Amino acid sequence: MDDRLAARLELAELSHEEFVRRAYRLVLRRDPEPEAFARDVSRATLLAELVASEEFDELRALDDAIGRALAAGAPARFLEAPLGTGERAIEIPWALSRLGGAARVLDVGSANARPAYLAALIAARVPELVGVDLVEAEIPGMRTVVADVRDLPFGDSSFDLVLCVSTLEHVGHDNRVYGTTDEREGGELEALRELRRVAARGGRIVVTVPCGEEEDHEWFVQREPDGWNGLFLEAGLQVEEEEIYALGPEGWRAAADFDPRGVRYGERRATAVLCATLAPAGAMRLAVRRARAAGRRRAGGAPG
């Protein structure tokens, strides 16, 4: 039998509802909205519309970015992403490329993480993969724990790698949009100190956050790069590597000479992000860094 005929006959056996469901899952990686089942279009037209959608463009950009970053086999740098894509097309591959064979990995903010990110983490077959969030989540292949990042239920030096992708900026702020009901005092600095505590000696903490002009959006904050770095230092963390990416006319690119002035958070997305790999500082170095951070605060520099 002609393989083209065989394919048509095979698909003809699917009901309309089942074809629509499979098409959405294949192209957009999600179930269709209820009204999609009521549309009177051919199957070819449905597929063409899904592939031509902005949602698919962003999904494709993220898939491509993750694939390129992981194929490199080393920490990704100088990433690029096209116009129309959000900051996740930079943050997620940047973080995933730094798994580096870590055996004990903690992911912070797993419940609301992008499925592409979670799927890649699970596919990495980390021996001990733990996700923590304020709300409960069922993620196959990951042990999930409901806890506040400022008060983690793990012992000292429990993880070789901690991933905190687009989460730190929300700590201590109004997170009802993510399903939480209450908040308490303390924010990013307290969270960073707790991440330092659970990171093993020689371990790493990968953090991505929005950066630009100082902004408080109530459910998250944006800080200047110096502001974020001041918090890292005050928490006893040294910056091992750092890149800033900005959205420009050609899309997302690394911004070596980044100037935060005039860089505002977009309507729904960041327009610049800071990606950093942090390491717990030694006791003597920690004291020096805390003293410097305190001096900056007194001088009106980095926020505390």
Side-chain angles (χ1 to χ4, degrees):
M1 182 188 299
D2 188 314
D3 61 327
R4 295 168 296 177
L5 174 59
R8 281 186 172 272
L9 293 176
E10 178 184 339
L11 292 175
E13 294 180 358
L14 298 178
S15 68
H16 171 70
E17 290 75 13
E18 181 62 17
F19 182 87
V20 171
R21 189 184 73 83
R22 290 193 185 186
Y24 268 75
R25 286 205 156 201
L26 176 65
V27 179
L28 301 184
R29 319 286 172 82
R30 65 173 175 84
D31 285 335
E33 51 276 1
E35 54 268 25
F37 295 109
R39 298 191 62 222
D40 185 17
V41 296
S42 71
R43 293 180 170 185
T45 294
L46 173 64
L47 290 172
E49 290 178 352
L50 295 180
V51 173
S53 67
E54 290 184 4
E55 183 177 352
F56 178 73
D57 285 344
E58 185 158 359
L59 185 151
R60 177 185 176 185
L62 181 55
D63 269 13
D64 289 347
I66 291 174
R68 287 192 298 268
L70 296 183
R77 296 182 64 82
F78 303 104
L79 296 171
E80 297 183 358
L83 279 173
T85 58
E87 62 269 30
R88 300 297 181 272
I90 295 295
E91 295 175 300
I92 288 175
W94 204 94
L96 289 173
S97 71
R98 283 157 175 79
L99 280 173
R104 302 175 298 165
V105 175
L106 174 67
D107 180 65
V108 181
S110 306
N112 291 285
R114 290 290 182 90
Y117 170 68
L118 295 173
L121 269 182
I122 294 164
R125 300 188 181 279
V126 177
E128 183 180 349
L129 179 60
V130 182
V132 65
D133 205 302
L134 288 170
V135 295
E136 188 173 358
E138 182 178 348
I139 305 173
M142 173 185 285
R143 179 167 71 91
T144 56
V145 176
V146 176
D148 192 313
V149 67
R150 295 163 291 185
D151 186 19
L152 294 171
F154 311 117
D156 296 354
S157 305
S158 293
F159 298 98
D160 307 311
L161 177 67
V162 177
L163 301 171
C164 190
V165 176
S166 191
T167 300
L168 182 63
E169 67 270 22
H170 297 281
V171 179
H173 302 283
D174 184 356
N175 287 303
R176 285 175 294 180
V177 66
Y178 295 116
T180 64
T181 57
D182 61 344
E183 280 297 339
R184 65 178 178 81
E185 293 298 319
E188 306 102 303
L189 180 58
E190 189 175 358
L192 286 167
R193 285 172 172 162
E194 187 69 345
L195 296 182
R196 178 183 183 274
R197 181 186 67 80
V198 301
R201 183 180 180 86
R204 300 293 180 266
I205 301 168
V206 172
V207 173
T208 70
V209 286
C211 68
E213 285 197 351
E214 298 276 335
E215 296 178 348
D216 187 344
H217 292 261
E218 296 187 354
W219 58 290
F220 74 94
V221 294
Q222 174 172 282
R223 299 188 186 280
E224 295 184 357
D226 285 349
W228 287 119
N229 282 310
L231 288 173
F232 300 155
L233 296 177
E234 189 170 359
L237 296 165
Q238 62 188 54
V239 179
E240 292 208 332
E241 60 171 337
E242 181 175 285
E243 280 191 305
I244 295 175
Y245 289 86
L247 181 61
E250 298 180 349
W252 287 92
R253 299 290 188 273
D257 300 319
F258 181 74
D259 184 347
R261 291 175 296 181
V263 179
R264 312 288 296 179
Y265 196 88
E267 185 177 346
R268 295 183 299 119
R269 298 166 172 167
T271 56
V273 292
L274 181 151
C275 303
T277 300
L278 313 173
M284 184 174 297
R285 187 176 296 173
L286 173 57
V288 172
R289 290 178 180 273
R290 283 182 173 171
R292 287 176 178 172
R296 287 185 180 183
R297 286 204 313 278
R298 287 193 297 271

